[in-house]
PDB file of all heavy atoms in Angstrom:
ATOM      1  N   LYS A 330     -49.308   6.409 -10.787  1.00  0.00           N
ATOM      2  CA  LYS A 330     -49.442   5.188 -11.610  1.00  0.00           C
ATOM      3  C   LYS A 330     -48.427   4.187 -11.111  1.00  0.00           C
ATOM      4  O   LYS A 330     -47.211   4.412 -11.085  1.00  0.00           O
ATOM      5  CB  LYS A 330     -49.127   5.561 -13.084  1.00  0.00           C
ATOM      6  CG  LYS A 330     -49.181   4.344 -14.005  1.00  0.00           C
ATOM      7  CD  LYS A 330     -48.790   4.753 -15.428  1.00  0.00           C
ATOM      8  CE  LYS A 330     -48.679   3.570 -16.361  1.00  0.00           C
ATOM      9  NZ  LYS A 330     -48.248   3.936 -17.710  1.00  0.00           N
ATOM     10  N   ARG A 331     -48.914   2.993 -10.722  1.00  0.00           N
ATOM     11  CA  ARG A 331     -48.007   1.972 -10.235  1.00  0.00           C
ATOM     12  C   ARG A 331     -47.235   1.341 -11.338  1.00  0.00           C
ATOM     13  O   ARG A 331     -47.757   0.972 -12.399  1.00  0.00           O
ATOM     14  CB  ARG A 331     -48.856   0.851  -9.529  1.00  0.00           C
ATOM     15  CG  ARG A 331     -47.951  -0.211  -8.790  1.00  0.00           C
ATOM     16  CD  ARG A 331     -48.795  -0.946  -7.800  1.00  0.00           C
ATOM     17  NE  ARG A 331     -50.016  -1.618  -8.311  1.00  0.00           N
ATOM     18  CZ  ARG A 331     -50.966  -2.106  -7.592  1.00  0.00           C
ATOM     19  NH1 ARG A 331     -50.939  -1.934  -6.263  1.00  0.00           N
ATOM     20  NH2 ARG A 331     -51.976  -2.652  -8.163  1.00  0.00           N
ATOM     21  N   GLY A 332     -45.917   1.272 -11.148  1.00  0.00           N
ATOM     22  CA  GLY A 332     -45.045   0.787 -12.172  1.00  0.00           C
ATOM     23  C   GLY A 332     -45.146  -0.687 -12.503  1.00  0.00           C
ATOM     24  O   GLY A 332     -44.827  -1.095 -13.658  1.00  0.00           O
ATOM     25  N   THR A 333     -45.561  -1.507 -11.575  1.00  0.00           N
ATOM     26  CA  THR A 333     -45.580  -2.949 -11.813  1.00  0.00           C
ATOM     27  C   THR A 333     -46.734  -3.327 -12.715  1.00  0.00           C
ATOM     28  O   THR A 333     -46.595  -4.328 -13.397  1.00  0.00           O
ATOM     29  CB  THR A 333     -45.711  -3.716 -10.474  1.00  0.00           C
ATOM     30  OG1 THR A 333     -46.779  -3.132  -9.736  1.00  0.00           O
ATOM     31  CG2 THR A 333     -44.444  -3.552  -9.626  1.00  0.00           C
ATOM     32  N   ASP A 334     -47.833  -2.653 -12.707  1.00  0.00           N
ATOM     33  CA  ASP A 334     -48.972  -3.069 -13.489  1.00  0.00           C
ATOM     34  C   ASP A 334     -49.782  -1.909 -14.173  1.00  0.00           C
ATOM     35  O   ASP A 334     -50.746  -2.192 -14.856  1.00  0.00           O
ATOM     36  CB  ASP A 334     -49.999  -3.916 -12.649  1.00  0.00           C
ATOM     37  CG  ASP A 334     -50.521  -3.118 -11.438  1.00  0.00           C
ATOM     38  OD1 ASP A 334     -50.312  -1.891 -11.359  1.00  0.00           O
ATOM     39  OD2 ASP A 334     -51.251  -3.717 -10.622  1.00  0.00           O
ATOM     40  N   GLY A 335     -49.376  -0.703 -13.983  1.00  0.00           N
ATOM     41  CA  GLY A 335     -50.028   0.427 -14.637  1.00  0.00           C
ATOM     42  C   GLY A 335     -51.290   0.934 -14.004  1.00  0.00           C
ATOM     43  O   GLY A 335     -52.002   1.761 -14.577  1.00  0.00           O
ATOM     44  N   THR A 336     -51.627   0.411 -12.777  1.00  0.00           N
ATOM     45  CA  THR A 336     -52.844   0.852 -12.147  1.00  0.00           C
ATOM     46  C   THR A 336     -52.718   2.304 -11.622  1.00  0.00           C
ATOM     47  O   THR A 336     -51.607   2.629 -11.107  1.00  0.00           O
ATOM     48  CB  THR A 336     -53.195  -0.094 -10.965  1.00  0.00           C
ATOM     49  OG1 THR A 336     -53.295  -1.449 -11.479  1.00  0.00           O
ATOM     50  CG2 THR A 336     -54.484   0.303 -10.275  1.00  0.00           C
ATOM     51  N   TYR A 337     -53.768   3.084 -11.712  1.00  0.00           N
ATOM     52  CA  TYR A 337     -53.710   4.443 -11.256  1.00  0.00           C
ATOM     53  C   TYR A 337     -54.391   4.552  -9.840  1.00  0.00           C
ATOM     54  O   TYR A 337     -55.356   3.852  -9.540  1.00  0.00           O
ATOM     55  CB  TYR A 337     -54.537   5.323 -12.177  1.00  0.00           C
ATOM     56  CG  TYR A 337     -53.766   5.746 -13.493  1.00  0.00           C
ATOM     57  CD1 TYR A 337     -53.508   4.778 -14.446  1.00  0.00           C
ATOM     58  CD2 TYR A 337     -53.308   7.045 -13.650  1.00  0.00           C
ATOM     59  CE1 TYR A 337     -52.873   5.087 -15.604  1.00  0.00           C
ATOM     60  CE2 TYR A 337     -52.615   7.350 -14.854  1.00  0.00           C
ATOM     61  CZ  TYR A 337     -52.424   6.391 -15.816  1.00  0.00           C
ATOM     62  OH  TYR A 337     -51.752   6.760 -16.920  1.00  0.00           O
ATOM     63  N   PHE A 338     -53.823   5.449  -8.996  1.00  0.00           N
ATOM     64  CA  PHE A 338     -54.372   5.661  -7.727  1.00  0.00           C
ATOM     65  C   PHE A 338     -54.412   7.176  -7.389  1.00  0.00           C
ATOM     66  O   PHE A 338     -53.517   7.959  -7.909  1.00  0.00           O
ATOM     67  CB  PHE A 338     -53.485   4.998  -6.631  1.00  0.00           C
ATOM     68  CG  PHE A 338     -53.371   3.479  -6.738  1.00  0.00           C
ATOM     69  CD1 PHE A 338     -52.398   2.933  -7.521  1.00  0.00           C
ATOM     70  CD2 PHE A 338     -54.311   2.670  -6.099  1.00  0.00           C
ATOM     71  CE1 PHE A 338     -52.325   1.560  -7.663  1.00  0.00           C
ATOM     72  CE2 PHE A 338     -54.202   1.317  -6.269  1.00  0.00           C
ATOM     73  CZ  PHE A 338     -53.221   0.723  -7.020  1.00  0.00           C
ATOM     74  N   GLU A 339     -55.369   7.565  -6.597  1.00  0.00           N
ATOM     75  CA  GLU A 339     -55.342   8.929  -6.125  1.00  0.00           C
ATOM     76  C   GLU A 339     -54.412   9.026  -4.940  1.00  0.00           C
ATOM     77  O   GLU A 339     -54.350   8.095  -4.144  1.00  0.00           O
ATOM     78  CB  GLU A 339     -56.808   9.338  -5.696  1.00  0.00           C
ATOM     79  CG  GLU A 339     -56.980  10.768  -5.367  1.00  0.00           C
ATOM     80  CD  GLU A 339     -58.354  11.205  -5.172  1.00  0.00           C
ATOM     81  OE1 GLU A 339     -58.960  10.973  -4.058  1.00  0.00           O
ATOM     82  OE2 GLU A 339     -59.017  11.730  -6.064  1.00  0.00           O
ATOM     83  N   GLY A 340     -53.802  10.180  -4.748  1.00  0.00           N
ATOM     84  CA  GLY A 340     -52.912  10.380  -3.620  1.00  0.00           C
ATOM     85  C   GLY A 340     -53.630  10.681  -2.362  1.00  0.00           C
ATOM     86  O   GLY A 340     -54.882  10.770  -2.334  1.00  0.00           O
ATOM     87  N   GLY A 341     -52.849  10.840  -1.268  1.00  0.00           N
ATOM     88  CA  GLY A 341     -53.412  11.065   0.036  1.00  0.00           C
ATOM     89  C   GLY A 341     -54.061   9.877   0.671  1.00  0.00           C
ATOM     90  O   GLY A 341     -54.938   9.968   1.504  1.00  0.00           O
ATOM     91  N   GLN A 342     -53.517   8.654   0.312  1.00  0.00           N
ATOM     92  CA  GLN A 342     -54.063   7.435   0.939  1.00  0.00           C
ATOM     93  C   GLN A 342     -52.971   6.376   1.121  1.00  0.00           C
ATOM     94  O   GLN A 342     -51.953   6.413   0.454  1.00  0.00           O
ATOM     95  CB  GLN A 342     -55.170   6.882   0.043  1.00  0.00           C
ATOM     96  CG  GLN A 342     -54.687   6.396  -1.345  1.00  0.00           C
ATOM     97  CD  GLN A 342     -55.724   5.564  -2.055  1.00  0.00           C
ATOM     98  OE1 GLN A 342     -56.422   4.713  -1.490  1.00  0.00           O
ATOM     99  NE2 GLN A 342     -55.862   5.826  -3.379  1.00  0.00           N
TER     100      GLN A 342
END
Side-chain angles (χ1 to χ4, degrees):
K330 178 184 176 183
R331 187 161 58 196
T333 51
D334 60 8
T336 303
Y337 282 70
F338 298 91
E339 187 173 82
Q342 66 167 319

